[in-house]
């Protein structure tokens, strides 16, 4: 079964997600600092790190990015039932 390691930032609105993505890409803030300061997910304590997980463990919208898109890029915002995510895929196995 496919596995991946990723981190994410979860916020309530798309506008904030887009603003954070721009700031991360421009190196105005690191992904980890943005996650710790803005994310509403408990993973914010570890800079948004979700660890390693299998395909199907996350919601469909999340999996569709993590198991198909480029590694080491900030993807999103991706809307799920939880809010808007910025996702960085660290590895796939």
């Amino acid at each position: 079964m496919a596995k991946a390691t990723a981190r994410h930032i979860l916020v309530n609105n798309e506008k904030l997600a887009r603003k954070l993505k721009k700031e991360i890409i421009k190196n105005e803030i690191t992904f980890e600092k943005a996650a710790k300061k803005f994310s509403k997910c408990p993973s914010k304590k570890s800079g948004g790190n979700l660890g390693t997980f299998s395909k199907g463990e996350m919601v469909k919208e999340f999996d569709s990015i993590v198991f198909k898109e480029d590694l080491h890029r900030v993807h999103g915002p991706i809307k799920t039932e939880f809010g808007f995510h910025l996702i960085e895929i660290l590895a796939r196995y």
Side-chain angles (χ1 to χ4, degrees):
M1 172 159 288
K3 290 185 180 258
T5 302
R7 57 187 178 176
H8 81 137
I9 300 168
L10 176 62
V11 295
N12 288 326
N13 67 72
E14 186 174 7
K15 184 177 179 180
L16 177 57
R18 289 188 184 286
K19 178 182 179 288
L20 292 173
K21 182 176 180 177
K22 260 186 208 176
E23 291 175 3
I24 293 166
I25 290 169
K26 290 181 176 181
N27 292 317
E28 294 172 0
I29 190 169
T30 65
F31 196 100
E32 296 86 359
K33 283 183 182 176
K36 286 179 179 180
K37 185 171 182 181
F38 296 99
S39 185
K40 64 177 192 167
C41 178
S43 68
K44 72 183 188 177
K45 292 176 185 170
S46 61
N49 194 333
L50 295 168
T52 300
F53 51 90
S54 298
K55 190 169 188 174
E57 283 187 56
M58 301 294 183
V59 293
K60 180 180 70 173
E61 301 90 345
F62 202 93
D63 269 6
S64 69
I65 299 299
V66 171
F67 290 97
K68 291 181 184 167
E69 298 298 333
D70 294 337
L71 299 175
H72 308 292
R73 293 187 62 197
V74 180
H75 301 281
I78 292 91
K79 187 177 190 309
T80 70
E81 62 189 276
F82 304 104
F84 293 86
H85 304 259
L86 296 179
I87 303 169
E88 183 180 14
I89 308 147
L90 303 174
R92 265 194 298 267
Y93 315 96

